[in-house]
């Protein structure tokens, strides 16, 4: 259930009292295909979710950003003159301060304000709870002042890379900004342009939360970024014009792969093929070819499992188990990896069975209760 604006206003007033706040909403996302391709300037294919982060903001007489998070059940305050020199605290407040700092650096003056944050996007699930906070906060701090949507996405990505310390690509922030009702967003991460693709009717997209997030997350992400760079350097021996894996066609890759050391070669193979799969999934969706869409999901999962090596036992189990159910067209891990969610394409009539069998068998094997989310393509960030 989406948090209704009235509920956020109530929470805000309960905490801060005073005036009616303005509300901003920014959604989480589920990526359909194209994983770890964004920082290689390839293609990605997310949909924005109904689950979103809400930021309620009201101007205040003081010189601080006074912030409270419902999920953390904690708050903090920072003087607006200290934001530019702030240091990360390694908790949720970094998303807020990181964004405020980027705005201040972009010469958007900060004003004293009370801010209440409530999010429905589960943290650590691979559904991009952090980008949802960043974008909601950016909109709230702007509070009506103009900034191009693409600039908001880029600013939030910078906050995450430079303040939070996660060298992520642009996908999550882009999806939170540009989400569209009834459509997936096919994003070109080099040109930073996109087109909307409607998905076939009679299709359920269900994310399954494995309820695990293995700690390797951020360090493995950095490692993958570095390994992709190493692959680019090896490929440059032969093709000096190559700047990123985006510049490497599948044909070029076959020609040079023997000259790339083994680990970077596997990483590059995943990135190059998954980026191609984004384009193929767009075509299959437009043709209404559910079997092909499903096959692309499975190929993508295998590629993450064996070449990018970012899956884990729980996630692999959820994928294999889902694929044993007839009319489950495809299943794959979504997001950064090492836990989080799978995303599944299935016929509406098997949804009940899908939920029942996965829940029972996952519980038996891992003693965990997975959570199921119906993923309905929803609009991007807005003032409510
Ligand atoms: C995380 C990052 C994204 C992207 C995905 C993997 O969600 O924030 O930029 O790299 O992992 O596709």
């Amino acid at each position: 259930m989406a948090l209704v604006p009235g509920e956020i206003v109530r929470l805000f007033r309960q905490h801060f009292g005073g005036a009616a706040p303005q509300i901003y909403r920014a959604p989480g996302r589920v990526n359909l295909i194209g994983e770890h391709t964004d920082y290689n300037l390839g293609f990605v294919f997310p949909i924005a979710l109904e689950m979103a982060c809400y930021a309620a903001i009201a101007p205040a007489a003081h010189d601080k950003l006074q912030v409270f998070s419902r999920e953390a059940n904690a708050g903090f305050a920072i003087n607006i003159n200290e934001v530019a020199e702030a240091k990360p605290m390694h908790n949720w407040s970094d998303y807020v301060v990181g964004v405020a700092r980027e705005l201040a650096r972009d010469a958007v003056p900060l004003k004293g304000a009370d801010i209440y944050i409530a999010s429905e996007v589960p943290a650590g699930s691979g559904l991009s709870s952090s980008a949802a906070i960043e974008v909601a906060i950016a909109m709230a701090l702007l509070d009506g002042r103009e900034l191009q949507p693409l600039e908001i996405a880029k600013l939030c990505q910078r906050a995450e890379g430079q303040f939070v310390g996660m060298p992520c690509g642009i996908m999550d922030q882009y999806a939170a900004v540009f989400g569209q009702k009834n459509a997936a967003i096919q994003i070109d991460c080099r040109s930073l342009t996109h087109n909307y693709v409607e998905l076939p009717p009679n299709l359920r997209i269900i994310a399954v939360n494995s309820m695990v997030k293995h700690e390797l997350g951020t360090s493995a992400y950095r490692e993958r970024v570095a390994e992709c760079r190493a692959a680019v350097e090896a490929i440059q021996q032969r093709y000096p014009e190559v700047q990123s894996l985006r510049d490497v066609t599948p044909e070029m890759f076959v020609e040079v792969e023997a000259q790339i050391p083994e680990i970077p070669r596997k990483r590059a193979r995943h990135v190059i093929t998954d980026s191609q799969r984004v384009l193929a999934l767009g075509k299959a969706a437009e043709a209404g070819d559910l079997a092909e869409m499903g096959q692309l999901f499975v190929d993508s999962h295998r590629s993450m499992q064996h070449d990018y090596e970012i899956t884990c036992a729980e996630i692999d189990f959820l994928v294999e188990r889902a694929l044993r159910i007839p009319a489950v067209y495809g299943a794959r891990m979504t997001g950064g990896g090492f836990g989080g969610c799978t995303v599944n394409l299935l016929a509406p009539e098997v949804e009940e069975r899908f939920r029942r069998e996965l829940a029972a068998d996952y519980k038996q094997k891992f003693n965990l209760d997975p959570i199921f989310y119906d993923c309905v393509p929803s609009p991007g960030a807005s003032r409510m």
Side-chain angles (χ1 to χ4, degrees):
M1 254 307 273
L3 263 167
V4 288
E7 173 66 1
I8 304 287
V9 171
R10 195 186 63 74
L11 290 168
F12 177 93
R13 282 196 163 147
Q14 202 180 332
H15 195 79
F16 291 112
Q22 188 61 56
I23 315 293
Y24 295 87
R25 168 191 179 275
R29 62 101 189 94
V30 63
N31 188 26
L32 295 183
I33 209 156
E35 221 65 77
H36 289 260
T37 48
D38 58 355
Y39 53 82
N40 290 294
L41 307 187
F43 297 96
V44 293
F45 210 175
I47 58 183
L49 298 173
E50 279 176 322
M51 290 189 290
C53 176
Y54 296 81
I57 185 165
H62 52 68
D63 277 346
K64 288 176 282 190
L65 297 178
Q66 203 158 254
V67 188
F68 190 85
S69 153
R70 181 184 68 164
E71 278 55 51
N73 191 26
F76 72 93
I78 183 167
N79 193 295
I80 51 175
N81 302 315
E82 286 164 10
V83 165
E85 302 310 319
K87 297 275 173 294
M89 303 294 286
H90 308 292
N91 63 31
W92 64 275
S93 69
D94 290 352
Y95 300 116
V96 179
V97 177
V99 167
R101 192 179 76 139
E102 288 305 318
L103 280 169
R105 288 188 167 177
D106 277 9
V108 178
L110 298 171
K111 300 177 193 164
D114 295 332
I115 303 171
Y116 191 98
I117 304 170
S119 184
E120 305 156 331
V121 190
S125 61
L127 301 179
S128 187
S129 59
S130 42
I133 296 189
E134 289 156 3
V135 172
I137 285 294
M139 308 258 312
L141 293 175
L142 283 162
D143 205 15
R145 286 175 288 181
E146 282 289 311
L147 192 59
Q148 291 298 315
L150 181 57
E151 294 309 314
I152 295 180
K154 284 160 73 176
L155 182 144
C156 291
Q157 183 200 15
R158 284 203 302 279
E160 181 128 7
Q162 295 177 18
F163 195 74
V164 179
M166 165 80 174
C168 66
I170 190 81
M171 166 166 68
D172 302 348
Q173 294 80 6
Y174 199 106
V177 169
F178 288 101
Q180 168 108 326
K181 195 168 186 262
N182 294 330
I185 322 160
Q186 195 176 56
I187 307 168
D188 178 338
C189 298
R190 183 160 65 185
S191 64
L192 298 180
T193 55
H194 63 274
N195 55 291
Y196 293 115
V197 178
E198 274 187 39
L199 300 171
N202 288 323
L203 179 65
R204 283 275 191 283
I205 303 170
I206 303 214
V208 182
N209 193 337
S210 67
M211 308 307 284
V212 297
K213 181 75 199 167
H214 296 292
E215 265 323 311
L216 283 119
T218 313
S219 62
Y221 195 95
R222 289 177 191 291
E223 241 170 66
R224 297 300 180 281
V225 173
E227 289 158 354
C228 290
R229 202 35 14 228
V232 166
E233 280 159 20
I235 296 168
Q236 281 171 339
Q237 310 285 312
R238 175 73 160 273
Y239 291 105
E241 69 278 16
V242 164
Q243 296 297 315
S244 72
L245 291 177
R246 166 60 181 269
D247 300 323
V248 185
T249 63
E251 296 72 31
M252 281 161 80
F253 180 71
V254 170
E255 206 188 304
V256 296
E257 65 176 320
Q259 286 143 47
I260 312 173
E262 187 191 349
I263 298 291
R265 185 199 314 145
K266 289 167 74 174
R267 307 305 188 234
R269 188 192 300 132
H270 164 74
V271 169
I272 293 163
T273 56
D274 225 36
S275 200
Q276 292 297 314
R277 281 187 281 269
V278 171
L279 304 177
L281 189 74
K283 290 207 179 95
E286 273 160 8
D289 189 341
L290 297 170
E292 173 66 7
M293 290 175 73
Q295 187 58 50
L296 290 162
F297 263 46
V298 175
D299 294 346
S300 176
H301 187 76
R302 301 280 174 249
S303 177
M304 291 189 287
Q305 190 177 8
H306 303 300
D307 278 344
Y308 224 60
E309 298 178 287
I310 50 170
T311 68
C312 59
E314 294 87 346
I315 287 283
D316 290 335
F317 179 86
L318 286 172
V319 166
E320 301 314 332
R321 186 62 189 84
L323 293 175
R324 276 171 44 205
I325 302 171
V328 170
Y329 305 112
R332 59 181 290 280
M333 189 188 73
T334 184
F338 305 102
C341 286
T342 63
V343 55
N344 303 265
L345 299 179
L346 45 124
E349 53 278 17
V350 288
E351 180 172 352
E352 200 275 323
R353 174 176 173 191
F354 172 83
R355 288 179 181 243
R356 183 167 30 84
E357 292 187 2
L358 252 69
D361 286 9
Y362 193 62
K363 175 86 178 176
Q364 198 187 19
K365 176 105 178 148
F366 293 103
N367 198 26
L368 288 168
D369 293 309
I371 298 182
F372 297 83
Y373 312 105
D374 237 309
C375 300
V376 178
S378 300
S382 68
R383 182 182 181 126
M384 302 201 64

